Amino acid sequence: MNWLRRLWGGRPALSDAQRARLQACIDTPRDDTATPLADARWVVVDVESSGLDVFSDRLIAIGAVRVQAQALPLAGSFYHVLRQAAPSSVENILVHGIGGTEQTAGLEPAEALLAFVEYAGGAPLVAYHADFDRAMINRATRAYLGVTLRNRWLDLAQIAPALFPEHAKNRRALDDWTTPLGIVNLNRHNAVADASATAQLLLVLLDRALAQGLQNVNDLLSMERGQRWLGR
């Protein structure tokens, strides 16, 4: 199992067809980190949840877009609302705009998560403040699929200050980076819209990384690890 790691404990109630699809994902290798930055593919992710506690709040929706060879295709985005037993609070709904009826009528969670695993393939996953997205997705996949994603993750909240140190002190949130760059997000807190804005920021950062001499995916991942080690 070179992409997903099975966990100890009981197995979720998946159909034979779902298990076959999951096994196909397990057999898919992760993308090679020696891939040149100019050719690499990425899956940029954003999640909506019932709150900010990664231990108790629920994953409500996943949005994602692909970046391939420094381009963001206009088609082919991913979005699913996971069916909820009960809607999240009114205050929470006001943040992400996913109403109670939409939540209770969402896609069966195992099916939604399996579709995301298939969409992601072996590509590195990218997010802004990625630790939250990773924790919410992994907790859900453990519960409904019995696996944890083994995809590599890239956190743009770490990479952006490293590539633009002159702005590191006064840009903290995603909007602090996207707005000065003219990246417009007309539907903030919609998972696909936020993923698209993050993907546009990724394109800017890839250009900067290439200009600074970074050559491949591993160079960018190593830069992020260095930033984390420095505590930035």
Side-chain angles (χ1 to χ4, degrees):
M1 278 168 228
N2 52 2
W3 184 43
L4 297 173
R5 174 172 58 84
R6 289 194 180 279
L7 298 182
W8 297 38
R11 300 177 70 185
L14 300 177
S15 69
D16 289 344
Q18 287 174 325
R19 291 190 185 283
R21 290 165 60 195
L22 182 59
Q23 186 61 51
C25 293
I26 290 170
D27 294 338
T28 300
R30 294 190 296 183
D31 288 13
D32 189 353
T33 60
T35 303
L37 283 180
D39 301 325
R41 67 170 181 161
W42 313 82
V43 171
V44 185
V45 184
D46 186 79
V47 303
E48 300 300 338
S49 64
S50 62
L52 299 178
D53 190 328
V54 297
F55 298 104
S56 62
D57 283 310
R58 294 170 282 124
L59 180 64
I60 292 178
I62 305 176
V65 297
R66 291 190 179 105
V67 169
Q68 176 78 51
Q70 291 185 271
L72 174 59
L74 295 177
S77 63
F78 176 94
Y79 180 73
H80 278 307
V81 174
L82 283 66
R83 186 171 65 226
Q84 308 293 310
S88 58
S89 67
V90 173
E91 293 79 10
N92 176 252
I93 290 172
L94 290 174
V95 173
H96 52 60
I98 305 172
T101 300
E102 188 177 359
Q103 291 186 36
T104 57
L107 189 62
E108 190 269 321
E111 186 63 27
L113 291 163
L114 184 54
F116 173 70
V117 171
E118 292 173 323
Y119 180 87
L125 302 177
V126 181
Y128 194 89
H129 291 314
D131 288 347
F132 180 80
D133 302 80
R134 174 169 48 195
M136 294 301 296
I137 290 173
N138 280 343
R139 187 163 143 250
T141 57
R142 283 196 298 268
Y144 293 105
L145 300 180
V147 297
T148 298
L149 272 67
R150 290 294 306 277
N151 299 64
R152 299 175 178 89
W153 282 82
L154 181 72
D155 189 352
L156 298 192
Q158 299 285 342
I159 292 297
L163 291 171
F164 289 93
E166 65 272 25
H167 300 306
K169 291 184 178 180
N170 58 4
R171 295 185 185 179
R172 302 291 183 183
L174 176 61
D175 292 342
D176 295 336
W177 289 97
T178 57
T179 300
L181 292 169
I183 298 172
V184 178
N185 185 348
L186 297 177
N187 198 4
R188 191 73 169 92
H189 295 297
N190 170 276
V192 173
D194 286 351
S196 179
T198 306
Q200 293 175 69
L201 175 60
L202 172 62
L203 293 176
V204 173
L205 297 178
L206 289 174
D207 281 342
R208 181 78 166 197
L210 287 166
Q212 292 186 6
L214 279 70
Q215 297 182 354
N216 54 41
V217 171
N218 188 60
D219 288 343
L220 206 56
L221 295 172
S222 296
M223 174 178 279
E224 190 213 47
R225 287 194 297 270
Q227 287 292 103
R228 288 182 180 273
W229 186 81
L230 292 170
R232 295 178 180 174

